[in-house]
């Protein structure tokens, strides 16, 4: 059983990731969900978290939802409405939400929960990082001691072999706030990076999407509808048989790490050049003697990945 803080900006594929986590109560104890600005604005992502919770039948379970930092540390907010729609979660007709965010901010919640974890059992809390890293970076800057409560940060972020998806050089989650990403990567906390190099191996073919609808459940139909909406941009962009799947790599790594293959490397973030802003400078070939600060996943076993994801969504 993992104690988990989810930092997310849903986003259709992140909604699927949250559903997989919510479907696995024997594996995850969700201490908090922190909504981030990124795929869309903070007001929308807060509402989107509740859409997912309520779709999964979770509004009464008491999972606290907190508002993260609404904009990057130093740069204007960049969103991805061109992929996810204006709400960030277009494609499925969600009913109006009933939940409301906690008064405690996301930064304060992360600091409190990490300190509580450190006092109870050091290095026992997992951060599931799906989005830009602003809120986590602010928490680490305000309270560096919270690292004592964190076992690892598992993030969907970055790219080396596949390079960029929002600019020619940068992956979106890092590009939104490269300065925050740099703070997190330099924190000394164990980090697992699940980059575009693996998400581009996970393609939402029509057969894979139809399998979710074939479950005959509302969450299954919602997964199909959401991913069908968000794939339009990527299908035109890449010309593949299915759009890449990003967010669910985080819970699937936590559930089935043997499906992922990579190695420890040093990685840094470009924060000075506008041409390559947000680029992940990954020392895959160990050219430098810099300390290895992340586990970088290079490959994933796609068929068992989708089978596991489908089995989790089938539980809802």
């Amino acid at each position: 059983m993992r104690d988990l803080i989810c930092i997310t900006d849903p986003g259709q594929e992140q909604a699927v990731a949250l559903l997989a986590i919510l479907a696995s109560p024997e594996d995850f104890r969700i201490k908090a969900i922190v909504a981030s600005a990124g795929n869309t604005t903070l007001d929308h992502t807060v509402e989107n978290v509740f859409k997912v919770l309520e779709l999964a039948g979770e509004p009464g379970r008491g999972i606290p939802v907190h508002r993260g930092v609404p904009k990057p540390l130093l740069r204007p907010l960049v969103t991805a409405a061109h992929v996810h729609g204006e709400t960030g979660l277009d494609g499925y007709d969600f009913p109006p939400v009933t939940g409301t965010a906690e008064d405690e901010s996301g930064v304060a919640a992360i600091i409190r929960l990490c300190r509580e974890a450190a006092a109870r059992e050091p290095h026992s809390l997992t951060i599931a990082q799906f989005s830009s890293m602003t809120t986590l970076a602010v928490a680490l800057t305000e309270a560096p001691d919270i690292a004592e409560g964190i076992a690892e940060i598992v993030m969907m972020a970055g790219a080396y072999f596949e390079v960029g998806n929002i600019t020619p050089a940068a992956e979106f989650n890092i590009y939104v706030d490269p300065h925050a990403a740099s703070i997190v990567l330099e924190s000394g906390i164990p980090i697992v990076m699940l980059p575009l190099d693996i998400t581009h191996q996970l393609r939402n073919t029509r057969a894979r999407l139809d399998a979710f609808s074939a479950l005959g459940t509302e969450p299954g139909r919602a997964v199909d509808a959401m991913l069908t909406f968000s794939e339009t941009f990527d299908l035109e962009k890449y010309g593949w048989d299915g759009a890449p799947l990003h967010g669910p790599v985080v819970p699937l790594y936590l559930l089935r790490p043997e499906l992922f293959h990579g190695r420890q490397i040093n990685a840094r973030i470009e924060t000075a050049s506008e041409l390559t802003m947000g680029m992940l400078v990954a020392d895959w070939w160990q050219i430098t003697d810099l300390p290895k600060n992340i586990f970088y996943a290079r490959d994933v076993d796609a068929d068992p990945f989708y089978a596991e994801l489908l089995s989790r969504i089938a539980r809802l």
Side-chain angles (χ1 to χ4, degrees), residues 129 133 136-137 140 153 155 179-189 191:
Q129 175 68 58
M133 302 181 213
L136 181 57
L140 287 167
I153 301 166
M155 61 173 65
H179 300 90
S182 182
I183 289 170
V184 173
L185 262 63
E186 294 173 5
S187 67
I189 298 168
I191 292 172

XYZ file of all heavy atoms in Angstrom, residues 129 133 136-137 140 153 155 179-189 191:
138
model
N 3.510 12.752 -9.981
C 3.602 14.065 -10.615
C 3.216 13.944 -12.090
O 3.961 13.414 -12.905
C 5.033 14.602 -10.477
C 5.307 15.902 -11.182
C 4.576 17.065 -10.558
O 4.739 17.366 -9.379
N 3.770 17.738 -11.350
N 5.545 21.343 -12.620
C 6.066 21.063 -11.281
C 6.093 22.281 -10.365
O 6.757 22.275 -9.336
C 7.465 20.450 -11.396
C 7.459 19.182 -12.215
S 9.076 18.400 -12.359
C 8.947 17.689 -13.989
N 4.987 21.685 -6.541
C 5.969 20.880 -5.824
C 7.257 21.665 -5.613
O 7.858 21.604 -4.528
C 6.246 19.597 -6.584
C 7.243 18.617 -5.944
C 6.803 18.214 -4.543
C 7.417 17.391 -6.830
N 7.693 22.423 -6.612
C 8.918 23.217 -6.486
C 8.779 24.273 -5.408
O 9.715 24.516 -4.632
C 9.269 23.856 -7.822
N 9.037 22.543 -2.034
C 10.416 22.164 -1.735
C 11.278 23.372 -1.411
O 12.205 23.283 -0.588
C 11.019 21.412 -2.924
C 10.509 19.990 -3.140
C 10.922 19.471 -4.515
C 11.028 19.063 -2.051
N 9.609 10.514 -6.349
C 8.724 11.276 -7.226
C 8.660 10.515 -8.541
O 9.685 10.271 -9.180
C 9.255 12.701 -7.469
C 9.409 13.458 -6.148
C 8.331 13.462 -8.422
C 10.242 14.726 -6.270
N 7.200 10.768 -12.208
C 6.664 11.844 -13.047
C 6.534 11.436 -14.504
O 7.367 10.718 -15.055
C 7.558 13.081 -12.952
C 8.990 12.872 -13.410
S 9.953 14.421 -13.456
C 10.000 14.859 -11.722
N 11.791 26.261 -14.830
C 12.512 26.620 -13.611
C 12.060 25.752 -12.437
O 12.882 25.318 -11.622
C 12.308 28.108 -13.306
C 12.797 29.001 -14.405
N 11.972 29.386 -15.446
C 14.019 29.563 -14.644
C 12.670 30.151 -16.277
N 13.905 30.272 -15.821
N 10.767 25.467 -12.371
C 10.266 24.571 -11.326
C 10.791 23.162 -11.531
O 11.199 22.483 -10.580
C 8.736 24.570 -11.327
N 10.799 22.691 -12.780
C 11.307 21.349 -13.063
C 12.769 21.224 -12.658
O 13.195 20.195 -12.115
C 11.135 21.029 -14.548
N 13.537 22.277 -12.885
C 14.950 22.253 -12.498
C 15.101 22.116 -10.988
O 15.957 21.364 -10.498
C 15.647 23.518 -12.997
O 17.017 23.502 -12.687
N 14.275 22.823 -10.241
C 14.325 22.730 -8.773
C 14.038 21.304 -8.331
O 14.724 20.751 -7.465
C 13.323 23.719 -8.147
C 13.807 25.160 -8.338
C 13.107 23.420 -6.658
C 12.776 26.211 -7.977
N 13.030 20.680 -8.919
C 12.649 19.322 -8.520
C 13.761 18.333 -8.864
O 14.132 17.483 -8.044
C 11.314 18.918 -9.176
C 11.002 17.452 -8.898
C 10.179 19.810 -8.655
N 14.323 18.435 -10.071
C 15.371 17.493 -10.462
C 16.641 17.660 -9.637
O 17.421 16.709 -9.500
C 15.689 17.643 -11.946
C 14.978 16.615 -12.865
C 13.474 16.778 -12.800
C 15.487 16.740 -14.298
N 16.851 18.833 -9.081
C 18.038 19.078 -8.267
C 17.780 18.879 -6.772
O 18.640 19.167 -5.950
C 18.549 20.498 -8.516
C 19.066 20.710 -9.944
C 19.412 22.162 -10.237
O 19.343 22.989 -9.298
O 19.746 22.460 -11.399
N 16.611 18.343 -6.420
C 16.219 18.231 -5.011
C 16.941 17.121 -4.261
O 16.934 17.109 -3.027
C 14.712 17.995 -4.914
O 14.369 16.709 -5.439
N 17.513 16.174 -4.964
C 18.131 15.023 -4.308
C 17.165 13.912 -3.967
O 17.578 12.856 -3.455
N 15.885 14.100 -4.228
C 14.877 13.071 -3.981
C 14.923 12.045 -5.115
O 15.082 12.425 -6.282
C 13.475 13.716 -3.900
C 13.411 14.702 -2.737
C 12.383 12.654 -3.752
C 12.181 15.588 -2.764
N 13.936 10.076 -8.185
C 12.990 10.454 -9.233
C 12.935 9.370 -10.296
O 13.972 8.872 -10.741
C 13.382 11.798 -9.884
C 13.199 12.948 -8.888
C 12.566 12.058 -11.154
C 13.751 14.277 -9.373
